[in-house]
Amino acid sequence: MTRFWVCVAGAGFFLAFLVFHSRFCASRLPLPLHFAFKISWRPEEALYRLDVDWPKYSEYFTGATFCVAVDSLNGLVYVAQRGDNIPKVLVFTEDGYFLRAWNYTVDTPHGIFAASTPREQSVWITDVGSDFMILWLHGENGTGPAKFSVPHSVTVDSDGRVWVADRGNKRIQVFDKDTGEWLGAWNNCFSEEGPSAVRFTPDGKHLIVAQLNLSRLLLTAAPPVGSIGDCSVISTIQLADQVSPHLLDVSGKTGAIYVAEIGAKQVQKYVPVKSYSSSFGS
């Protein structure tokens, strides 16, 4: 304890000396000296919290939960899981209540996307265990621009830019939605682990990126129109070890993040501490 107070007194004396010196002696120096101090006692503010009540009953997860999709229009959450003799698609409400399950036409789900309209509900599933037809293809295997290594997730922003999680190359590549033109790439945020999933917050100002082997989510700032720039991480959500977030989706109404964790064989929900618009600023 004595040593602690000695250190405090020494720091106080040093600061007082700097103030005295700059007040009475600065004009005599040939070059000005500037000192900057930033002292912060506040920890990083958490922007999301785990909703421990979602789902109401986790016993419905009986396989490896590979993907999740949010139908914000109808307030539904679709979860696809792999395994033998189990329901392949589970349907919950956004509040966590189980509604129904599917076990037909789906073999080995890998990705899922909800695209409902006011007139009909629509759910698209990538089934890697079934035959499929390629409707649109861009790029090839490789490391250069517009080439991929394990492209794992894709999303489109309101400005018509397509964001692809190029997991094997540890980057996100960006393309024009209509022309397919390569617009740029982010790789400075992914030196440790490539992105496995990418989605936008409802206001379009931020991206949520999953890193599977690090069991981590990144909140990054979306660049303005006409510029891709570099990746800028605003906040992180560190999940439990080895839960392995594979794919995720974001509610268009509440901004809640639903994370499909293949390691933990579950889907977890993270909700903004405040409303998503006020949490990250305007």
Side-chain angles (χ1 to χ4, degrees):
M1 181 61 71
T2 302
R3 183 176 299 176
F4 171 78
W5 287 113
V6 170
C7 293
V8 171
F13 175 80
F14 177 69
L15 290 174
F17 170 77
L18 291 178
V19 172
F20 177 84
H21 186 275
S22 62
R23 184 178 181 89
F24 297 103
C25 303
S27 60
R28 301 177 185 176
L29 295 175
L31 295 174
L33 298 178
H34 300 281
F35 298 91
F37 298 92
K38 182 178 180 181
I39 302 175
S40 175
W41 300 99
R42 296 179 58 188
E44 180 182 349
E45 181 181 4
L47 300 180
Y48 287 86
R49 64 172 178 83
L50 175 65
D51 184 349
V52 295
D53 294 324
W54 201 100
K56 302 301 180 184
Y57 300 99
S58 59
E59 292 80 3
Y60 291 105
F61 299 137
T62 53
T65 49
F66 262 69
C67 47
V68 59
V70 182
D71 179 357
S72 299
L73 191 62
N74 297 288
L76 302 176
V77 178
Y78 295 87
V79 177
Q81 56 182 3
R82 294 185 189 180
D84 297 328
N85 302 316
I86 63 170
K88 297 302 174 63
V89 179
L90 310 174
V91 186
F92 298 86
T93 67
E94 286 203 57
D95 294 329
Y97 292 98
F98 176 76
L99 296 178
R100 55 188 178 274
W102 303 346
N103 200 29
Y104 54 89
T105 71
V106 179
D107 182 31
T108 311
H110 187 274
I112 189 169
F113 181 76
S116 295
T117 68
R119 294 187 177 182
E120 65 176 357
Q121 290 179 290
S122 179
V123 179
W124 297 76
I125 300 174
T126 304
D127 189 350
V128 297
S130 301
D131 294 332
F132 61 91
M133 178 177 62
I134 296 176
L135 299 178
W136 183 83
L137 177 66
H138 187 82
E140 59 186 23
N141 187 55
T143 59
K147 295 184 179 181
F148 303 95
S149 176
V150 195
H152 206 261
S153 177
V154 62
T155 192
V156 183
D157 65 20
S158 59
D159 299 311
R161 297 177 295 189
V162 180
W163 298 72
V164 182
D166 189 6
R167 179 179 161 192
N169 285 324
K170 296 184 178 181
R171 65 186 177 185
I172 293 177
Q173 297 198 72
V174 189
F175 301 85
D176 182 273
K177 176 175 68 71
D178 297 319
T179 66
E181 176 188 3
W182 185 82
L183 301 178
W186 282 356
N187 54 27
N188 58 299
C189 291
F190 310 114
S191 58
E192 296 179 90
E193 167 78 9
S196 62
V198 57
R199 285 291 186 270
F200 278 89
T201 54
D203 57 8
K205 295 181 179 180
H206 304 87
L207 290 90
I208 308 294
V209 181
Q211 294 179 294
L212 186 144
N213 292 319
L214 294 179
S215 293
R216 183 171 67 185
L217 306 182
L218 304 179
L219 177 70
T220 66
V225 179
S227 172
I228 300 302
D230 292 326
C231 174
S232 176
V233 176
I234 295 176
S235 182
T236 62
I237 303 175
Q238 185 61 56
L239 312 181
D241 290 343
Q242 299 182 349
V243 301
S244 303
H246 185 249
L247 292 172
L248 60 84
D249 206 359
V250 179
S251 170
K253 289 184 177 179
T254 66
I257 307 170
Y258 295 84
V259 186
E261 302 170 349
I262 58 175
K265 296 184 177 181
Q266 65 182 6
V267 171
Q268 294 201 101
K269 176 183 179 182
Y270 291 84
V271 297
V273 174
K274 305 174 184 177
S275 66
Y276 66 83
S277 58
S278 61
S279 294
F280 313 127
S282 55

